[in-house]
Amino acid sequence: MASKAALELVISLKDEASGALGKIKGALGGVGDAAAGVAKAGLMAAAAGAVALTGALVFSVKAAMEAQVVDAQLDAVLRSTAGAAGMSKEALTGLATSLSQVTMFEDEAIISAESMLLTFTSIGKDVFPMATKTVLNMSQALGQDLKSSAMQLGKALNSPVDGIAALQRVGVKFTESQKAAILAMVEMGDVAGAQKLILQELETEFGNSAEAA
C-alpha cells in the first residue's frame, strides 16, 4: 500500500510540474525553456525526496512491527515455561543487546533465538548466557540461521547424553572420555555440569566465530 501511495504522489507531482512549466514558459517568454527546466528539476527532486521519505517510513514501521512480534514471543515463552530458566526479560534483552554490539546479529534475531532456547526448560541461568553466545558462534561458523542453531543446541543441552549424537551429526567431535564424563554427570543429577562440558567443547570447536566476524 505504501508503494502505491508513493507512486501516486510521484504522478501527482509530475502533473503539477507539467502545469507549472506551461505557466513559467508563458510568463518568461524567450527564457521560458531554461526557467522551466530549472523548475522541473526542482519539482522532480521534491518528488524523489517524497518517495525516499515514504520508503524510510515503511522500513521504520516494518522494523517496529517485527520488534513487537519478537517482544510478544518472548513474553509468551516466559509465561508458558513459568520462567524455568531463571532469566528475567530484562536480563534476556540486555544479553541480546550486548551480543548484538559485538557480532553481526541484530538484537531481535538474538532474542528470537533466546526464546527458542527457553523452551528447553532444563537450561538454567548458570548456563543460558553461554548457551546463547554459543548459538551465535555455531550459526556464524556453520552458516545457518540462529533459530536452527538454537534448536540443535537446545535439544543437546536438554538431554546431554542423547544430544552428543545430534551434535556429532553437524561435525562436533567428542572424545570417549568426554562422553563418559557427560554420562556420569547426568547419572549423578548434575545436568548443568554436563551442559557446561558440552558448551566447553563447542567453544573449542567454534571459538568466538561471531565476534571475529
Side-chain angles (χ1 to χ4, degrees), residues 86-103:
M87 297 281 291
S88 67
K89 181 178 180 179
E90 290 73 20
L92 291 164
T93 54
L95 175 62
T97 298
S98 64
L99 289 173
S100 71
Q101 293 172 347
V102 294
T103 69

Side-chain angles (χ1 to χ4, degrees), residues 60 207-208:
S60 297
N208 290 318

Side-chain angles (χ1 to χ4, degrees), residues 63-114:
M65 291 176 65
E66 289 176 350
Q68 287 182 344
V69 170
V70 169
D71 188 71
Q73 180 187 34
L74 180 60
D75 286 336
V77 173
L78 286 172
R79 285 195 303 270
S80 66
T81 60
M87 297 281 291
S88 67
K89 181 178 180 179
E90 290 73 20
L92 291 164
T93 54
L95 175 62
T97 298
S98 64
L99 289 173
S100 71
Q101 293 172 347
V102 294
T103 69
M104 297 177 66
F105 299 102
E106 296 183 355
D107 52 355
E108 285 87 358
I110 298 172
I111 292 172
S112 291
E114 288 178 329

Side-chain angles (χ1 to χ4, degrees), residues 12-37:
S12 176
L13 287 173
K14 282 183 176 179
D15 290 341
E16 291 178 10
S18 296
L21 289 177
K23 293 180 181 179
I24 292 171
K25 286 181 179 181
L28 298 180
V31 294
D33 290 340

